[in-house]
Amino acid sequence: MEKATFGAGCFWCVEAVFQDLEGVEKAVSGYSNGRIASPTYREVCSGLTGHAEVIQITYDPAIISFEQLLEIFWKTHDPTTLNRQGADAGTQYRSGVYYHNEEQKRLAEEYKQKLNEAKAFDQPIVTEIEPLKSFYPAEDYHQNYYKQNGREPYCQFVVRPKVDKVRAVFGDKLKKGALL
């Protein structure tokens, strides 16, 4: 098993995008690359800790590759908006690939460069690609959020469209019986 860590806005959205992919053992919402140890959600939301809301994915590379995870990452959020995803604004919502090894760094940088050269987005990609310096799991009530709170307005209007996109574009990569 290997790990990948991505920031792409609110971790509720990112977790819901990745957790039902074939080969993903778990997706844990958390905080990374900030200035203090073991931050709380309230501290991270203040914008003063420097942490990003992220998902740490444990996956089987024999079933789903890091390259496939990157493809899903790039296609399920807007990597051109600095410190923002939709109405969620602040440094904690920044787009980032927090790599675990040099191969992940190389692949993320190559993919980002190809997307920019192809002008895949109207604006340049601002996604940061940095080594994972720290990861702290978020509080329990943030874990598996969409599946437990899918009827909440935020989930219906913000998370669900991303989940629906994964179902439509990457349906062949979903676990059998996944109820996205």
Side-chain angles (χ1 to χ4, degrees):
M1 298 302 260
E2 294 186 17
K3 291 185 189 271
T5 305
F6 299 123
C10 172
F11 48 33
W12 298 340
C13 296
V14 188
E15 177 188 65
V17 162
F18 286 98
Q19 71 186 147
D20 283 332
L21 296 173
E22 190 69 41
V24 171
E25 179 183 286
K26 64 181 175 176
V28 178
S29 293
Y31 316 110
S32 73
N33 289 27
R35 292 183 288 278
I36 66 170
S38 302
T40 65
Y41 182 66
R42 174 172 259 148
E43 289 170 331
V44 171
C45 286
S46 76
L48 300 175
T49 70
H51 290 87
E53 285 192 15
V54 298
I55 293 300
Q56 189 162 88
I57 301 161
T58 303
Y59 68 100
D60 182 344
I63 299 172
I64 189 165
S65 68
F66 184 73
E67 294 94 326
Q68 290 170 315
L69 294 173
L70 277 175
E71 178 183 13
I72 294 163
F73 166 79
W74 293 114
K75 290 183 178 177
T76 54
H77 81 292
D78 182 352
T80 68
T81 55
L82 186 63
N83 301 326
R84 169 182 293 281
Q85 282 300 302
D88 293 330
T91 57
Q92 69 271 25
Y93 299 118
R94 65 189 180 268
S95 174
V97 176
Y98 303 98
Y99 58 86
H100 293 250
N101 56 52
E102 289 301 311
E103 179 68 1
Q104 286 185 355
K105 176 185 179 183
R106 182 185 68 76
L107 292 168
E109 287 176 344
E110 284 178 6
Y111 206 128
K112 179 179 175 179
Q113 182 179 346
K114 286 178 187 174
L115 290 171
N116 275 327
E117 288 173 357
K119 300 204 181 309
F121 297 95
D122 292 336
Q123 299 293 320
I125 293 171
V126 297
T127 302
E128 62 186 19
I129 299 172
E130 296 184 351
L132 180 70
K133 297 172 188 148
S134 61
F135 174 77
Y136 302 99
E139 296 82 351
D140 287 345
Y141 69 92
H142 290 297
Q143 307 303 328
N144 205 26
Y145 193 86
Y146 178 70
K147 288 188 177 183
Q148 294 180 6
N149 302 281
R151 297 205 182 276
E152 296 292 328
Y154 184 90
C155 290
Q156 287 294 304
F157 295 108
V158 180
V159 183
R160 185 175 180 172
K162 292 176 185 248
V163 170
D164 288 347
K165 183 175 187 176
V166 169
R167 183 183 297 134
V169 178
F170 301 104
D172 62 322
K173 292 182 177 30
L174 294 176
K175 294 174 183 169
K176 305 275 186 277
L179 297 174
L180 287 176

